[in-house]
Amino acid sequence: MSLRKVLSLTKAGYCRTVKLQTANIFRQNVWLLTATSPRFYSAENLDKTKDAKPTEKVEILGRLFPQAQINQDAQEIKKEQEKFEKENQEKAEENAKSWNRMKMGFAVFGGAMTVMGGIMIFEMGAPRLDDSGAVIEDEFSHMPVVLQYLRRAWKELTFYEKMIKEPSRELLLPDALPPPYQPTYTLVLEFTDVLVHPDWSYQTGWRFKKRPGVDQFLQTVANSDYEVVIFTTENAFMIWPVLDKLDPENKLIHYRLFRDSTHFIDGVHVKNLDGLNRDLSKVIVVDWNKQATKFHSQNTLVLKKWKGDDDDTSLLDLANLLQTIAMSNVTDVREVLTYYGQFDDPIAAFRDNQRRLLEQMEQRDAPEPPLTSSWLRTFTRR
C-alpha cells in the first residue's frame, strides 16, 4: 500500500472520530439542559405551564408596569393641569378687572383735567375789568370770544414761564452811590461751596460749615475798597438765615441776590452781570461753576469747589490777591482775571507769583559785596 493511500485513510478516520466526539458532546449538553431545566424541555413542564393560573403573569407585569401607580400619576397630572388652568383663568379675570379699573381711572383723570383746563382758560382768559366793572379792551378784543379766551390764557402761561426762566427784575442792584461813598470794585461771591459747605443728615437736617478764614476774608475785602455782593443760585428762604449769622450787623455784605435773579438756561441757573448796574471793568466774580457765569467768563475767577476740608487756606490767599488788585488801582480787572483764568488753580499760581516777587525783592535789597572781596574772588577764582 502506498504512503499516499495510507495518509488518506488516516485522515478520513480522524475526521470520522472528530464527528463522533462532537455528536456525543452535543448529546451530553442536551441531557444536562434537560435535567437541570425541565421546565423548558420536558413535556410535563409544558403541560403544567398550560394549566398554570394567569395570576403570576399579572403579578410579573404589575411589577414591570405598575398600573395603579400610572393611574395615580395620571390623576395627579390631571389635577395639576386643572389647577393651572384655574389659576390662568383667575389671572385673566383679574387682568381684565385691572384693565377696566385703569380705563375708568384714565377716563376720570381725563375728565378732571378737561374740567380744570376749561376753568383755567375761563379764569385766565377772561377780559380785565376796571374799577367800575367795564371791560378793558386789549389786543385780543376784536377776535371771536373763544379765541380771545385762548389767546389771553396762553399769554398768562408764557408770562409765568418767563418769570421762571428770567430774572425777577431788570436791574438787580440800585444805582451806584456818589463818590467817595461808592467802593471802586464790586466783588460778587457764590455762597455755597465757596464760603460755606452744606451738609445734611437725618439727625440734624441741613447744616452749613464755614470755610476756614471766611470771617477774616469778608473783613479784609470789605475794608479794601470792595462792594461785596452775595450772588448765589440757591433759594432765599434757605440761605438768608445763614447770611444773617455770618454777617449779623450787615456791615460786611452789602447786597444779597438769589435764584430769582438768575437766568434759567438749559437746566443751569446763569448769573447775568449786565443786570448788576455796575461797570464790568470793576466787577470780579468768584465762583466754582464755569457754567454759572458763562456770559461773562472774563470777569470770573474760578476756584476749586470746597468740600469741607479743614486745612484749606484758599480764602486767605484770595484775600491777598483781591487786596493787591485794589492797592494797585487796576483799571480793568478783566486783564488780571484772564491771566489767572488760564491756570487750573489760580490761587496756587498767585502764590507762586508772590514767592517769586519776594525773592526778587530780597535780591534787589541785598547789600552789594565790598570791592576787595570781589578782587579776592577774581584772583582765587571763587
Short mmCIF file of all heavy atoms in Angstrom, two decimals, residues 331-380:
data_model
loop_
_atom_site.label_atom_id
_atom_site.label_comp_id
_atom_site.label_asym_id
_atom_site.label_seq_id
_atom_site.Cartn_x
_atom_site.Cartn_y
_atom_site.Cartn_z
N THR A 331 -7.02 149.25 36.39
CA THR A 331 -8.06 149.93 35.62
C THR A 331 -9.14 148.96 35.14
O THR A 331 -10.33 149.26 35.23
CB THR A 331 -7.43 150.65 34.42
OG1 THR A 331 -6.40 151.53 34.88
CG2 THR A 331 -8.48 151.43 33.65
N ASP A 332 -8.72 147.83 34.62
CA ASP A 332 -9.66 146.83 34.12
C ASP A 332 -9.28 145.48 34.74
O ASP A 332 -8.24 144.90 34.40
CB ASP A 332 -9.62 146.75 32.59
CG ASP A 332 -10.78 145.96 32.01
OD1 ASP A 332 -11.43 145.20 32.77
OD2 ASP A 332 -11.03 146.07 30.80
N VAL A 333 -10.10 145.00 35.64
CA VAL A 333 -9.79 143.75 36.35
C VAL A 333 -9.86 142.55 35.42
O VAL A 333 -9.33 141.48 35.75
CB VAL A 333 -10.75 143.55 37.53
CG1 VAL A 333 -10.59 144.66 38.55
CG2 VAL A 333 -12.19 143.45 37.05
N ARG A 334 -10.50 142.69 34.28
CA ARG A 334 -10.63 141.54 33.37
C ARG A 334 -9.29 141.08 32.82
O ARG A 334 -9.13 139.90 32.49
CB ARG A 334 -11.59 141.91 32.23
CG ARG A 334 -13.04 142.03 32.69
CD ARG A 334 -13.97 142.56 31.62
NE ARG A 334 -13.71 143.97 31.36
CZ ARG A 334 -14.52 144.75 30.64
NH1 ARG A 334 -15.64 144.23 30.13
NH2 ARG A 334 -14.23 146.02 30.43
N GLU A 335 -8.33 141.97 32.72
CA GLU A 335 -7.00 141.57 32.27
C GLU A 335 -6.33 140.66 33.30
O GLU A 335 -5.74 139.63 32.95
CB GLU A 335 -6.14 142.82 32.03
CG GLU A 335 -6.68 143.73 30.94
CD GLU A 335 -5.83 144.97 30.77
OE1 GLU A 335 -4.83 145.10 31.53
OE2 GLU A 335 -6.14 145.82 29.90
N VAL A 336 -6.44 141.01 34.57
CA VAL A 336 -5.85 140.19 35.63
C VAL A 336 -6.56 138.84 35.72
O VAL A 336 -5.93 137.78 35.84
CB VAL A 336 -5.90 140.93 36.98
CG1 VAL A 336 -5.30 140.07 38.09
CG2 VAL A 336 -5.19 142.26 36.88
N LEU A 337 -7.88 138.87 35.66
CA LEU A 337 -8.65 137.64 35.77
C LEU A 337 -8.44 136.72 34.57
O LEU A 337 -8.44 135.49 34.72
CB LEU A 337 -10.14 137.97 35.91
CG LEU A 337 -10.52 138.79 37.16
CD1 LEU A 337 -12.00 139.08 37.16
CD2 LEU A 337 -10.12 138.05 38.43
N THR A 338 -8.24 137.30 33.41
CA THR A 338 -7.96 136.48 32.23
C THR A 338 -6.61 135.79 32.36
O THR A 338 -6.45 134.63 31.97
CB THR A 338 -7.99 137.35 30.96
OG1 THR A 338 -9.27 137.95 30.82
CG2 THR A 338 -7.72 136.48 29.73
N TYR A 339 -5.64 136.50 32.93
CA TYR A 339 -4.32 135.89 33.13
C TYR A 339 -4.42 134.71 34.10
O TYR A 339 -3.92 133.60 33.81
CB TYR A 339 -3.33 136.93 33.65
CG TYR A 339 -2.05 136.33 34.16
CD1 TYR A 339 -1.06 135.87 33.29
CD2 TYR A 339 -1.82 136.19 35.54
CE1 TYR A 339 0.12 135.31 33.76
CE2 TYR A 339 -0.64 135.63 36.01
CZ TYR A 339 0.32 135.18 35.12
OH TYR A 339 1.47 134.60 35.58
N TYR A 340 -5.04 134.90 35.24
CA TYR A 340 -5.14 133.82 36.22
C TYR A 340 -6.15 132.75 35.80
O TYR A 340 -6.12 131.63 36.32
CB TYR A 340 -5.51 134.37 37.59
CG TYR A 340 -4.34 135.02 38.30
CD1 TYR A 340 -4.25 136.40 38.39
CD2 TYR A 340 -3.34 134.25 38.85
CE1 TYR A 340 -3.18 137.00 39.03
CE2 TYR A 340 -2.26 134.84 39.49
CZ TYR A 340 -2.18 136.22 39.57
OH TYR A 340 -1.11 136.80 40.20
N GLY A 341 -7.04 133.08 34.87
CA GLY A 341 -8.01 132.09 34.41
C GLY A 341 -7.41 130.99 33.57
O GLY A 341 -8.05 129.95 33.35
N GLN A 342 -6.17 131.17 33.08
CA GLN A 342 -5.55 130.12 32.28
C GLN A 342 -4.98 128.98 33.12
O GLN A 342 -4.60 127.94 32.59
CB GLN A 342 -4.43 130.73 31.44
CG GLN A 342 -3.29 131.32 32.25
CD GLN A 342 -2.23 131.99 31.41
OE1 GLN A 342 -2.04 131.64 30.25
NE2 GLN A 342 -1.53 132.96 31.99
N PHE A 343 -4.96 129.15 34.44
CA PHE A 343 -4.44 128.12 35.33
C PHE A 343 -5.60 127.31 35.92
O PHE A 343 -6.68 127.86 36.16
CB PHE A 343 -3.62 128.75 36.48
CG PHE A 343 -2.45 129.56 36.01
CD1 PHE A 343 -2.52 130.94 35.97
CD2 PHE A 343 -1.28 128.95 35.60
CE1 PHE A 343 -1.45 131.70 35.54
CE2 PHE A 343 -0.19 129.69 35.17
CZ PHE A 343 -0.28 131.07 35.13
N ASP A 344 -5.33 126.03 36.16
CA ASP A 344 -6.34 125.19 36.80
C ASP A 344 -6.59 125.62 38.23
O ASP A 344 -7.71 125.53 38.72
CB ASP A 344 -5.90 123.72 36.77
CG ASP A 344 -5.83 123.17 35.36
OD1 ASP A 344 -6.56 123.71 34.49
OD2 ASP A 344 -5.06 122.23 35.12
N ASP A 345 -5.55 126.08 38.91
CA ASP A 345 -5.67 126.57 40.27
C ASP A 345 -5.11 127.99 40.31
O ASP A 345 -3.90 128.20 40.50
CB ASP A 345 -4.91 125.66 41.24
CG ASP A 345 -5.21 125.98 42.69
OD1 ASP A 345 -5.89 127.00 42.95
OD2 ASP A 345 -4.77 125.20 43.58
N PRO A 346 -5.93 129.01 40.13
CA PRO A 346 -5.40 130.38 40.09
C PRO A 346 -4.81 130.82 41.41
O PRO A 346 -3.89 131.65 41.43
CB PRO A 346 -6.63 131.21 39.71
CG PRO A 346 -7.80 130.36 40.08
CD PRO A 346 -7.37 128.96 39.89
N ILE A 347 -5.31 130.29 42.52
CA ILE A 347 -4.76 130.67 43.82
C ILE A 347 -3.32 130.17 43.96
O ILE A 347 -2.43 130.89 44.45
CB ILE A 347 -5.64 130.13 44.95
CG1 ILE A 347 -7.06 130.71 44.81
CG2 ILE A 347 -5.06 130.48 46.29
CD1 ILE A 347 -7.12 132.21 44.88
N ALA A 348 -3.06 128.93 43.53
CA ALA A 348 -1.70 128.40 43.57
C ALA A 348 -0.78 129.20 42.65
O ALA A 348 0.40 129.46 43.00
CB ALA A 348 -1.70 126.92 43.17
N ALA A 349 -1.30 129.62 41.49
CA ALA A 349 -0.49 130.45 40.59
C ALA A 349 -0.16 131.80 41.24
O ALA A 349 0.96 132.32 41.10
CB ALA A 349 -1.22 130.65 39.27
N PHE A 350 -1.13 132.37 41.97
CA PHE A 350 -0.87 133.63 42.66
C PHE A 350 0.17 133.44 43.77
O PHE A 350 1.04 134.31 43.97
CB PHE A 350 -2.17 134.17 43.26
CG PHE A 350 -1.99 135.39 44.10
CD1 PHE A 350 -1.69 136.61 43.53
CD2 PHE A 350 -2.12 135.31 45.48
CE1 PHE A 350 -1.51 137.74 44.31
CE2 PHE A 350 -1.94 136.43 46.27
CZ PHE A 350 -1.64 137.65 45.68
N ARG A 351 0.14 132.33 44.47
CA ARG A 351 1.17 132.05 45.49
C ARG A 351 2.56 132.00 44.87
O ARG A 351 3.52 132.56 45.41
CB ARG A 351 0.86 130.73 46.18
CG ARG A 351 -0.35 130.73 47.09
CD ARG A 351 -0.31 129.54 48.02
NE ARG A 351 -1.63 129.17 48.48
CZ ARG A 351 -2.33 128.17 48.00
NH1 ARG A 351 -1.84 127.41 47.05
NH2 ARG A 351 -3.53 127.90 48.48
N ASP A 352 2.67 131.31 43.73
CA ASP A 352 3.97 131.23 43.07
C ASP A 352 4.47 132.61 42.64
O ASP A 352 5.67 132.92 42.77
CB ASP A 352 3.88 130.29 41.86
CG ASP A 352 3.62 128.85 42.26
OD1 ASP A 352 3.90 128.51 43.43
OD2 ASP A 352 3.12 128.07 41.42
N ASN A 353 3.58 133.42 42.11
CA ASN A 353 3.99 134.77 41.70
C ASN A 353 4.43 135.61 42.90
O ASN A 353 5.41 136.36 42.82
CB ASN A 353 2.83 135.46 40.98
CG ASN A 353 2.56 134.86 39.63
OD1 ASN A 353 3.42 134.21 39.04
ND2 ASN A 353 1.35 135.05 39.11
N GLN A 354 3.73 135.46 44.01
CA GLN A 354 4.11 136.18 45.21
C GLN A 354 5.48 135.73 45.72
O GLN A 354 6.30 136.55 46.15
CB GLN A 354 3.06 135.98 46.30
CG GLN A 354 1.74 136.69 46.04
CD GLN A 354 1.89 138.20 46.13
OE1 GLN A 354 2.03 138.88 45.11
NE2 GLN A 354 1.90 138.72 47.34
N ARG A 355 5.72 134.43 45.67
CA ARG A 355 7.00 133.91 46.13
C ARG A 355 8.14 134.43 45.26
O ARG A 355 9.18 134.87 45.77
CB ARG A 355 6.97 132.38 46.13
CG ARG A 355 8.27 131.71 46.57
CD ARG A 355 8.12 130.20 46.52
NE ARG A 355 7.64 129.75 45.23
CZ ARG A 355 8.40 129.61 44.15
NH1 ARG A 355 9.70 129.91 44.21
NH2 ARG A 355 7.88 129.17 43.02
N ARG A 356 7.95 134.41 43.94
CA ARG A 356 9.00 134.91 43.04
C ARG A 356 9.22 136.41 43.23
O ARG A 356 10.36 136.91 43.17
CB ARG A 356 8.63 134.60 41.59
CG ARG A 356 8.79 133.13 41.23
CD ARG A 356 8.77 132.95 39.72
NE ARG A 356 7.47 133.29 39.16
CZ ARG A 356 6.50 132.40 38.95
NH1 ARG A 356 6.69 131.13 39.29
NH2 ARG A 356 5.35 132.77 38.43
N LEU A 357 8.14 137.14 43.47
CA LEU A 357 8.27 138.58 43.70
C LEU A 357 9.07 138.87 44.98
O LEU A 357 9.92 139.77 45.00
CB LEU A 357 6.89 139.21 43.79
CG LEU A 357 6.85 140.72 44.03
CD1 LEU A 357 7.55 141.47 42.89
CD2 LEU A 357 5.41 141.21 44.19
N LEU A 358 8.80 138.10 46.02
CA LEU A 358 9.55 138.29 47.26
C LEU A 358 11.03 137.95 47.07
O LEU A 358 11.91 138.65 47.61
CB LEU A 358 8.95 137.42 48.37
CG LEU A 358 7.57 137.84 48.89
CD1 LEU A 358 7.05 136.83 49.90
CD2 LEU A 358 7.62 139.23 49.50
N GLU A 359 11.31 136.91 46.31
CA GLU A 359 12.71 136.56 46.05
C GLU A 359 13.41 137.68 45.28
O GLU A 359 14.57 138.02 45.57
CB GLU A 359 12.78 135.24 45.28
CG GLU A 359 12.35 134.03 46.09
CD GLU A 359 12.37 132.75 45.27
OE1 GLU A 359 12.62 132.86 44.04
OE2 GLU A 359 12.12 131.67 45.83
N GLN A 360 12.72 138.23 44.28
CA GLN A 360 13.32 139.33 43.52
C GLN A 360 13.56 140.55 44.40
O GLN A 360 14.60 141.22 44.29
CB GLN A 360 12.43 139.70 42.34
CG GLN A 360 12.35 138.62 41.27
CD GLN A 360 11.38 138.99 40.17
OE1 GLN A 360 10.79 140.08 40.19
NE2 GLN A 360 11.22 138.09 39.19
N MET A 361 12.62 140.84 45.29
CA MET A 361 12.78 141.98 46.17
C MET A 361 13.94 141.76 47.15
O MET A 361 14.71 142.68 47.46
CB MET A 361 11.49 142.24 46.95
CG MET A 361 10.34 142.72 46.06
SD MET A 361 8.80 142.91 46.98
CE MET A 361 9.26 144.20 48.14
N GLU A 362 14.09 140.53 47.64
CA GLU A 362 15.20 140.24 48.54
C GLU A 362 16.54 140.38 47.82
O GLU A 362 17.50 140.90 48.38
CB GLU A 362 15.04 138.83 49.12
CG GLU A 362 13.89 138.70 50.11
CD GLU A 362 13.73 137.27 50.59
OE1 GLU A 362 14.47 136.40 50.09
OE2 GLU A 362 12.86 137.04 51.46
N GLN A 363 16.59 139.90 46.59
CA GLN A 363 17.85 140.04 45.84
C GLN A 363 18.15 141.51 45.54
O GLN A 363 19.31 141.93 45.56
CB GLN A 363 17.75 139.25 44.53
CG GLN A 363 17.71 137.74 44.72
CD GLN A 363 17.55 137.01 43.41
OE1 GLN A 363 17.48 137.63 42.35
NE2 GLN A 363 17.51 135.68 43.48
N ARG A 364 17.12 142.29 45.28
CA ARG A 364 17.34 143.70 44.97
C ARG A 364 17.79 144.48 46.20
O ARG A 364 18.64 145.37 46.12
CB ARG A 364 16.06 144.32 44.41
CG ARG A 364 16.21 145.76 43.95
CD ARG A 364 14.87 146.31 43.56
NE ARG A 364 13.95 146.29 44.72
CZ ARG A 364 12.67 146.67 44.65
NH1 ARG A 364 12.16 147.04 43.48
NH2 ARG A 364 11.92 146.64 45.72
N ASP A 365 17.21 144.13 47.34
CA ASP A 365 17.55 144.85 48.57
C ASP A 365 18.79 144.31 49.27
O ASP A 365 19.22 144.88 50.27
CB ASP A 365 16.37 144.79 49.55
CG ASP A 365 15.14 145.49 48.99
OD1 ASP A 365 15.32 146.34 48.11
OD2 ASP A 365 14.02 145.16 49.43
N ALA A 366 19.36 143.21 48.79
CA ALA A 366 20.55 142.65 49.44
C ALA A 366 21.74 143.58 49.22
O ALA A 366 21.93 144.13 48.12
CB ALA A 366 20.85 141.27 48.87
N PRO A 367 22.62 143.81 50.24
CA PRO A 367 23.79 144.72 50.08
C PRO A 367 24.82 144.12 49.13
O PRO A 367 25.01 142.90 49.08
CB PRO A 367 24.34 144.83 51.50
CG PRO A 367 23.87 143.58 52.19
CD PRO A 367 22.55 143.24 51.59
N GLU A 368 25.46 145.00 48.36
CA GLU A 368 26.48 144.54 47.42
C GLU A 368 27.75 144.17 48.16
O GLU A 368 28.12 144.81 49.16
CB GLU A 368 26.78 145.63 46.38
CG GLU A 368 25.61 145.96 45.50
CD GLU A 368 25.98 147.01 44.47
OE1 GLU A 368 27.16 147.45 44.48
OE2 GLU A 368 25.10 147.37 43.66
N PRO A 369 28.52 143.17 47.73
CA PRO A 369 29.77 142.79 48.40
C PRO A 369 30.82 143.88 48.21
O PRO A 369 30.81 144.62 47.23
CB PRO A 369 30.16 141.50 47.68
CG PRO A 369 29.50 141.58 46.35
CD PRO A 369 28.20 142.32 46.59
N PRO A 370 31.74 144.05 49.18
CA PRO A 370 32.79 145.09 49.06
C PRO A 370 33.70 144.83 47.88
O PRO A 370 33.78 143.71 47.36
CB PRO A 370 33.54 144.98 50.39
CG PRO A 370 33.24 143.62 50.90
CD PRO A 370 31.86 143.28 50.42
N LEU A 371 34.42 145.90 47.46
CA LEU A 371 35.26 145.80 46.26
C LEU A 371 36.43 144.86 46.47
O LEU A 371 36.81 144.11 45.57
CB LEU A 371 35.78 147.20 45.88
CG LEU A 371 36.56 147.32 44.58
CD1 LEU A 371 35.70 146.88 43.41
CD2 LEU A 371 37.04 148.76 44.39
N THR A 372 37.04 144.86 47.68
CA THR A 372 38.19 143.97 47.93
C THR A 372 37.79 142.51 47.84
O THR A 372 38.55 141.69 47.33
CB THR A 372 38.77 144.28 49.31
OG1 THR A 372 37.73 144.14 50.30
CG2 THR A 372 39.34 145.69 49.37
N SER A 373 36.61 142.20 48.30
CA SER A 373 36.17 140.80 48.23
C SER A 373 35.97 140.38 46.79
O SER A 373 36.24 139.24 46.41
CB SER A 373 34.89 140.63 49.03
OG SER A 373 33.86 141.44 48.49
N SER A 374 35.52 141.31 45.94
CA SER A 374 35.36 140.96 44.53
C SER A 374 36.72 140.72 43.88
O SER A 374 36.88 139.83 43.05
CB SER A 374 34.59 142.06 43.80
OG SER A 374 35.33 143.27 43.86
N TRP A 375 37.74 141.57 44.26
CA TRP A 375 39.08 141.31 43.72
C TRP A 375 39.62 139.97 44.18
O TRP A 375 40.18 139.19 43.42
CB TRP A 375 40.03 142.41 44.18
CG TRP A 375 39.79 143.74 43.52
CD1 TRP A 375 38.97 143.98 42.47
CD2 TRP A 375 40.39 144.98 43.87
NE1 TRP A 375 39.00 145.29 42.12
CE2 TRP A 375 39.87 145.96 42.97
CE3 TRP A 375 41.30 145.39 44.84
CZ2 TRP A 375 40.24 147.30 43.02
CZ3 TRP A 375 41.67 146.72 44.88
CH2 TRP A 375 41.14 147.67 43.98
N LEU A 376 39.43 139.69 45.49
CA LEU A 376 39.93 138.42 46.02
C LEU A 376 39.26 137.25 45.34
O LEU A 376 39.90 136.24 45.02
CB LEU A 376 39.71 138.38 47.53
CG LEU A 376 40.23 137.12 48.27
CD1 LEU A 376 41.74 137.04 48.08
CD2 LEU A 376 39.84 137.17 49.75
N ARG A 377 37.95 137.38 45.07
CA ARG A 377 37.22 136.29 44.40
C ARG A 377 37.74 136.11 42.98
O ARG A 377 37.80 135.02 42.45
CB ARG A 377 35.72 136.58 44.38
CG ARG A 377 34.91 135.42 43.83
CD ARG A 377 33.43 135.73 43.83
NE ARG A 377 32.93 136.00 45.17
CZ ARG A 377 32.54 137.19 45.58
NH1 ARG A 377 32.63 138.24 44.77
NH2 ARG A 377 32.10 137.37 46.82
N THR A 378 38.19 137.21 42.35
CA THR A 378 38.72 137.10 40.99
C THR A 378 40.03 136.37 40.97
O THR A 378 40.30 135.52 40.11
CB THR A 378 38.88 138.51 40.39
OG1 THR A 378 37.64 139.18 40.42
CG2 THR A 378 39.39 138.42 38.96
N PHE A 379 40.91 136.72 41.97
CA PHE A 379 42.23 136.06 41.98
C PHE A 379 42.13 134.62 42.42
O PHE A 379 42.86 133.75 41.93
CB PHE A 379 43.20 136.83 42.90
CG PHE A 379 43.64 138.13 42.30
CD1 PHE A 379 43.25 139.35 42.84
CD2 PHE A 379 44.49 138.14 41.18
CE1 PHE A 379 43.68 140.55 42.27
CE2 PHE A 379 44.91 139.34 40.63
CZ PHE A 379 44.50 140.54 41.17
N THR A 380 41.30 134.34 43.38
CA THR A 380 41.19 132.96 43.85
C THR A 380 40.22 132.13 43.03
O THR A 380 40.12 130.92 43.23
CB THR A 380 40.66 132.97 45.33
OG1 THR A 380 39.41 133.64 45.38
CG2 THR A 380 41.68 133.65 46.22
#
